[in-house]
Amino acid sequence: MKIAVLGGDGYCGWATALYLSRKGHAVAIVDNFLRRQWDHELGAQTLTPIRPLAERLKAWQRVSGKVIDLYIGDVADYDFLAATMKSFEPEAIVHFAEQRSAPYSMIDRKHAVFTQVNNVVGTLNVLFAIRELSPDCHLIKLGTMGEYGTPNIDIEEGYITIEHNGRRDTVPFPKQPGSFYHLSKVHDSHNIMFACKIWGLRATDLNQGVVYGTMTEEVEQDEALINRFDYDDVFGTVLNRFCVQAAIGQPLTVYGKGGQTRGFLDIRDTVRCIEIACHNPAARGECKVYNQFTEQFTVLELAKLVEAAGKKLGLNVEIDHLPDPRVEAEQHYYNAKHSKLIDLGLQPRYLSDSLLDSLVNIAIRYRDRVDASLMLPQVNWREPRNDRRLQMSMTARASLAAQAERADVTKTSKG
Amino acid sequence: MKIAVLGGDGYCGWATALYLSRKGHAVAIVDNFLRRQWDHELGAQTLTPIRPLAERLKAWQRVSGKVIDLYIGDVADYDFLAATMKSFEPEAIVHFAEQRSAPYSMIDRKHAVFTQVNNVVGTLNVLFAIRELSPDCHLIKLGTMGEYGTPNIDIEEGYITIEHNGRRDTVPFPKQPGSFYHLSKVHDSHNIMFACKIWGLRATDLNQGVVYGTMTEEVEQDEALINRFDYDDVFGTVLNRFCVQAAIGQPLTVYGKGGQTRGFLDIRDTVRCIEIACHNPAARGECKVYNQFTEQFTVLELAKLVEAAGKKLGLNVEIDHLPDPRVEAEQHYYNAKHSKLIDLGLQPRYLSDSLLDSLVNIAIRYRDRVDASLMLPQVNWREPRNDRRLQMSMTARASLAAQAERADVTKTSKG
């Protein structure tokens, strides 16, 4: 199958492009390297020394004999996107090409506006390009479990059947996202459902959980193929960050009580889920929605797992509870359905002791590259402007505590 | 109360600004005249000869002795918006300053992208400006009943309590909007709820129905105060258009079967609803949602009312069913709650024979200004590009019929 991976130089995108290429698909990466730009802006670096994309692609050709096409440009630029579609003629488009960090979107107004405009316009462009140039092409769009928030009822996969005043309907599951970034994905989801309805497009919206891990079968074949491993406060995901903190002897930073429950998955399951979606295209006019994660954990549970793994490796691991920089429920009901991808053949790789060991070992291996100042949260949801440059790591905790007290008013609103 | 009316030169905005001024509030209009620009783009004009805003404001001062402040600029320009907030220091902001036409948003990709970026960024700017400069200020935001779509269950006012698998929660009512414009309002609603939650802002989101009428007590005082009366296929609302069609002897253009049911209200109720919202501010952190309409009609019922009113006035009125240019259910269940504003004191002015007479009489009075070529729909939801300049009125019907046949695939999706 001809598959375009938009955002194929990013964390999930790179792993996906390699996996689909190995499985025999004709893959094109579409990317404008914005993700690398944001590292420069934030003064952060992936733990792992990733190579420039050109070098990565040469290495892949060397080890696999396979060529991945490359189109360099911005999907928010319609002329570029349309030219790419005409040139590559994809049968499926996997769309990762969005700003994907909640804290980044909460830095200030410009970052919030950028995130929503970039993500919404990019996805609108993809929808129009499919409609105009290739109406049969299947869109596989990465959403997030964070679109749902934490309602006090079970979270279904995209749609819920409601009985109300003696009548019944199946409607989109209500969304209560927790950042301007998560909101942008909710906007996308609504736009995609509408485009399927009016134009008969095919789409699969994957509400992905928090991804962990960096190694996949493809990436392991050559050091030049190594994937990102983000641990900073803005782009780092929580389990990766905990492993790095354990490796350098810093306390694991749990936000608030740590009762925040989320869905998680191994990056090796991410790439498999994408392949399953490609092989099971939505019908014309259909917008499928899957919840893409394999296990639920609270943040504190994860911290305790890393603590145990670290101790086994002889590390002295402590857990620290910081005032929560986000506005979110710290203890809540959470039960999100996630059976559809399993029904289609996903065999989950659950978080095991051995995987945790290997994650911590990766962190130990690249310990010299860690910037310890990047792990304390410096973006506070309660503030409309967060100037990361002015904040020192030492003051982050005190500043958060003060802000949390000032912002008591927000605690009256529903978590 | 100091009230800023964003979009105060538009149809609802102008009526609202005058009404609030007469009721003794200190009013500022904030507008960039984009609505007038769109008329030039579309080659359309309001039926009524509206005056430039400067002239309108002078006339208002003459007849009322009251001054309405004026700030000229774009709310999507944050520097301008912030300077305006600092200068005027509003206690309430009534936000009408959005692109509000569904067909305009469906013309092509550029119009869809413009509508969503303009509306979403403007509202994000308003939220940030309130948070940064005046966190106690009450935002009164115009949404639309079109955010809900036409579910097969009763539509509640903003939130619905769901019982699901033995648990219960009150969550935002699921949204199924029917155009890129309506989607932009859904995006706004999600952003506003989130800002209330994280920053403790006060907001009231008014999901307004289709507004009809042009005369209000204020506007009637001087010809120079006359309000817009849009009847064209892009910005015209359905009842206004039917009255103009009746006045010039053209058939009333019902899209499809005409069973599309919507909520409607008199513009004199719009202005009163806004005042009620001003007098009942949301608490800090609260996002109130009201459904702002007074009566439900099907489009065909409205056509028959205008037919009867026209016959009384000696007009020969026919009803024509055109292929529906929109993708929507032409017959459906519809029962939307709308009691909250009535509980707060709204006394609805229902659509009466005498009002219909007066509407048709206005259309007759300005009959010479009617451009009959502007009333047939030239924007088809099924097409990703609609070039209004190339379409002749005579071919619109045939073109729609052909498109409807080609687009059979979309009929399989849920209305």
Side-chain angles (χ1 to χ4, degrees), chain A residues 76 78-79 105-106 108-110 112-113 116-117 120-121 124-125 127-129 131-132 150-156 160-165 167-180 183-184 186-188 190-191 194-200 284-286 327-329 333 337 380-385 406-407 409-415, chain B residues 76 78-79 105-106 108-110 112-113 116-117 120-121 124-125 127-129 131-132 150-156 160-165 167-180 183-184 186-188 190-191 194-200 284-286 327-329 333 337 380-385 406-407 409-415:
Chain A
Y78 189 76
D79 292 343
S105 75
M106 300 303 296
D108 59 15
R109 189 191 65 83
K110 284 191 179 170
V113 166
Q116 294 210 348
V117 171
V120 167
V121 173
L124 283 175
N125 281 353
L127 294 169
F128 273 89
R131 170 64 181 82
E132 293 206 296
T150 56
N152 194 40
I153 54 174
D154 292 346
I155 294 171
E156 301 296 325
I160 183 172
T161 299
I162 298 179
E163 304 239 18
H164 182 53
N165 298 347
R167 302 183 61 89
R168 161 196 281 253
D169 200 1
T170 299
V171 295
F173 198 95
K175 301 291 180 74
Q176 297 178 88
S179 75
F180 287 118
L183 281 155
S184 76
V186 171
H187 306 341
D188 284 342
H190 283 97
N191 284 340
F194 176 68
C196 289
K197 179 181 160 184
I198 61 164
W199 293 333
R284 292 293 300 265
E286 184 189 16
V327 178
E328 62 187 359
Y333 178 76
K337 305 296 177 65
N380 188 308
W381 263 229
R382 295 166 186 87
E383 294 296 326
R385 292 177 196 246
R406 282 212 310 279
V409 59
T410 65
K411 291 194 178 154
T412 62
S413 72
K414 242 186 62 185
Chain B
Y78 189 75
D79 291 342
S105 76
M106 301 302 296
D108 58 17
R109 188 191 65 83
K110 284 191 179 171
V113 166
Q116 294 209 349
V117 171
V120 167
V121 173
L124 284 175
N125 281 353
L127 294 168
F128 273 89
R131 171 63 183 82
E132 293 206 293
T150 56
N152 193 40
I153 54 174
D154 293 345
I155 295 171
E156 301 296 326
I160 182 171
T161 298
I162 297 179
E163 304 239 17
H164 183 54
N165 298 347
R167 301 183 63 87
R168 162 197 280 251
D169 200 1
T170 299
V171 294
F173 198 96
K175 300 290 180 75
Q176 297 178 87
S179 75
F180 287 117
L183 282 154
S184 77
V186 171
H187 306 342
D188 284 342
H190 283 98
N191 285 341
F194 175 68
C196 289
K197 180 180 160 186
I198 60 164
W199 293 333
R284 293 293 299 266
E286 183 189 18
V327 178
E328 62 186 359
Y333 179 76
K337 305 297 176 63
N380 189 308
W381 263 227
R382 295 167 186 86
E383 295 295 327
R385 291 178 198 245
R406 284 210 312 277
V409 59
T410 66
K411 292 194 180 154
T412 61
S413 72
K414 241 187 63 184

Side-chain angles (χ1 to χ4, degrees), chain B residues 66-334:
Chain B
K66 292 172 190 298
V67 174
I68 293 177
D69 273 353
L70 174 59
Y71 294 86
I72 297 168
D74 188 346
V75 298
D77 168 0
Y78 189 75
D79 291 342
F80 160 75
L81 180 65
T84 299
M85 292 275 289
K86 284 179 196 160
S87 164
F88 184 67
E89 298 183 330
E91 294 158 90
I93 291 177
V94 183
H95 180 18
F96 289 107
E98 300 205 325
Q99 194 297 96
R100 67 126 185 103
S101 157
Y104 190 87
S105 76
M106 301 302 296
I107 290 174
D108 58 17
R109 188 191 65 83
K110 284 191 179 171
H111 287 81
V113 166
F114 166 78
T115 299
Q116 294 209 349
V117 171
N118 179 70
N119 293 2
V120 167
V121 173
T123 296
L124 284 175
N125 281 353
V126 170
L127 294 168
F128 273 89
I130 293 176
R131 171 63 183 82
E132 293 206 293
L133 303 170
S134 183
D136 224 38
C137 178
H138 178 208
L139 170 62
I140 295 151
K141 166 66 165 54
L142 271 290
T144 161
M145 287 300 296
E147 293 183 35
Y148 298 114
T150 56
N152 193 40
I153 54 174
D154 293 345
I155 295 171
E156 301 296 326
E157 302 198 53
Y159 303 90
I160 182 171
T161 298
I162 297 179
E163 304 239 17
H164 183 54
N165 298 347
R167 301 183 63 87
R168 162 197 280 251
D169 200 1
T170 299
V171 294
F173 198 96
K175 300 290 180 75
Q176 297 178 87
S179 75
F180 287 117
Y181 152 70
H182 290 101
L183 282 154
S184 77
K185 296 278 197 183
V186 171
H187 306 342
D188 284 342
S189 295
H190 283 98
N191 285 341
I192 293 167
M193 278 190 194
F194 175 68
C196 289
K197 180 180 160 186
I198 60 164
W199 293 333
L201 302 193
R202 311 172 183 276
T204 301
D205 199 348
L206 299 171
N207 288 325
Q208 188 169 240
V210 184
V211 187
Y212 56 78
T214 186
M215 285 305 169
T216 57
E217 214 175 306
E218 297 73 48
V219 158
E220 282 170 332
Q221 294 178 41
D222 194 299
E223 174 86 19
L225 298 173
I226 198 162
N227 201 352
R228 304 189 69 91
F229 188 107
D230 297 310
Y231 64 93
D232 62 283
D233 71 306
V234 173
F235 276 94
T237 53
V238 60
L239 184 56
N240 288 359
R241 189 179 70 238
F242 285 168
C243 291
V244 171
Q245 289 172 322
I248 66 165
Q250 273 202 351
L252 314 188
T253 47
V254 170
Y255 299 165
K257 296 191 185 107
Q260 301 92 328
T261 310
R262 300 290 184 270
F264 290 82
L265 76 165
D266 188 308
I267 188 152
R268 294 171 299 176
D269 284 343
T270 292
V271 301
R272 175 69 182 124
C273 289
I274 302 292
E275 186 187 32
I276 289 171
C278 288
H279 284 157
N280 296 276
R284 293 293 299 266
E286 183 189 18
C287 181
K288 293 189 181 194
V289 185
Y290 304 145
N291 292 345
Q292 180 168 313
F293 72 96
T294 59
E295 286 175 284
Q296 292 187 179
F297 295 102
T298 69
V299 171
L300 187 56
E301 281 168 353
L302 283 183
K304 288 189 170 158
L305 289 171
V306 173
E307 182 183 38
K311 282 192 175 148
K312 265 203 317 187
L313 295 168
L315 299 168
N316 178 27
V317 182
E318 282 173 26
I319 295 174
D320 198 1
H321 290 263
L322 298 183
D324 195 339
R326 305 187 178 202
V327 178
E328 62 186 359
E330 293 174 20
Q331 301 275 15
H332 56 88
Y333 179 76
Y334 198 77

